[in-house]
Amino acid sequence: MTSESSRDELKAKLNLETSRIHWHDLQTYFARGQVVRVAPELDLLDVATELTADNKTRFEQWMADSKVGDVPPALAQSWYDNNTELWAVVIAPWVLVQDRSDHALH
């Protein structure tokens, strides 16, 4: 990302690629270790944009704060039991997911 406008354009493009998906439909990706959990308080599109920009420093901080990372087994089981609907966006090979069920969308 060299400019704010290119970042905004990327974010707009990613917004069009974001959708809801049930956890059962993500099992193959989860088994491959390709699902990345994004905490509900973060903006999924901001995280996707930073991943696309390869912003290692930002990701390390989010991971240290447990705001981005693997889906813990207990959470995966809960999502499976409830077939939770998640927001998702693909940044190959990763699938970023976010459970917004307890948070108001903005």
Side-chain angles (χ1 to χ4, degrees):
M1 300 285 114
T2 57
S3 72
E4 192 63 32
S5 65
S6 62
R7 178 181 160 78
D8 290 344
E9 288 172 17
L10 175 59
K11 196 170 178 180
K13 177 184 176 294
L14 291 169
N15 186 45
L16 295 174
E17 297 173 7
T18 302
S19 66
R20 292 184 221 178
I21 188 168
H22 286 97
W23 183 244
H24 288 178
D25 297 325
L26 292 167
Q27 292 307 290
T28 302
Y29 304 98
F30 177 66
R32 291 181 189 151
Q34 294 174 313
V35 176
V36 177
R37 177 196 49 81
V38 176
E41 61 269 18
L42 294 179
D43 183 317
L44 181 63
L45 294 175
D46 284 341
V47 175
T49 301
E50 295 300 330
L51 180 58
T52 302
D54 197 26
N55 188 340
K56 183 177 177 183
T57 303
R58 190 90 184 256
F59 261 79
E60 287 174 346
Q61 184 61 54
W62 282 331
M63 291 171 70
D65 295 340
S66 298
K67 297 198 183 277
V68 171
D70 294 334
V71 178
L75 181 58
Q77 185 64 54
S78 173
W79 284 351
Y80 187 85
D81 292 344
N82 297 309
N83 195 20
T84 301
E85 185 178 65
L86 304 165
W87 282 98
V89 63
V90 175
I91 307 295
W94 309 108
V95 181
L96 280 63
V97 299
Q98 186 175 52
D99 183 0
R100 302 287 300 176
S101 60
D102 293 336
H103 291 77
L105 297 177
H106 53 275

